[in-house]
Amino acid sequence: CHDSNGKLHEFGSHWRNADCYDCSCSRDGISCCSSFATPVGYDEEKCVSIFNKETCTYKVVEKNDDSKECPVHEWVG
């Protein structure tokens, strides 16, 4: 299987790509799914979600003060 960057992967292999998706290669092709949960239940007027590609996680902080985290009531993944 060739991934979107042109890298060749063997059948039966598994990897995490640069966009934090867990992928696998089979004779049917490549299958990928997110390895992270996305915050959806928070105050979007007051807060903003920030994705960290190094840790593959979201952080939700206040727009006016990113040192203050916002409560998140629902995550989807």
Side-chain angles (χ1 to χ4, degrees), residues 54-70:
E54 289 182 22
T55 62
C56 297
T57 58
Y58 274 99
K59 182 177 179 181
V60 180
V61 295
E62 290 186 8
K63 289 179 181 178
N64 296 330
D65 184 355
D66 65 4
S67 69
K68 294 182 181 176
E69 288 196 41
C70 296

Side-chain angles (χ1 to χ4, degrees), residues 5-37:
N5 295 323
K7 185 175 178 183
L8 183 63
H9 297 272
E10 292 183 13
F11 292 132
S13 64
H14 300 270
W15 68 96
R16 179 168 287 175
N17 69 17
D19 295 319
C20 296
Y21 282 80
D22 290 328
C23 301
S24 62
C25 171
S26 70
R27 296 197 182 274
D28 295 326
I30 291 179
S31 175
C32 297
C33 62
S34 63
S35 65
F36 52 89

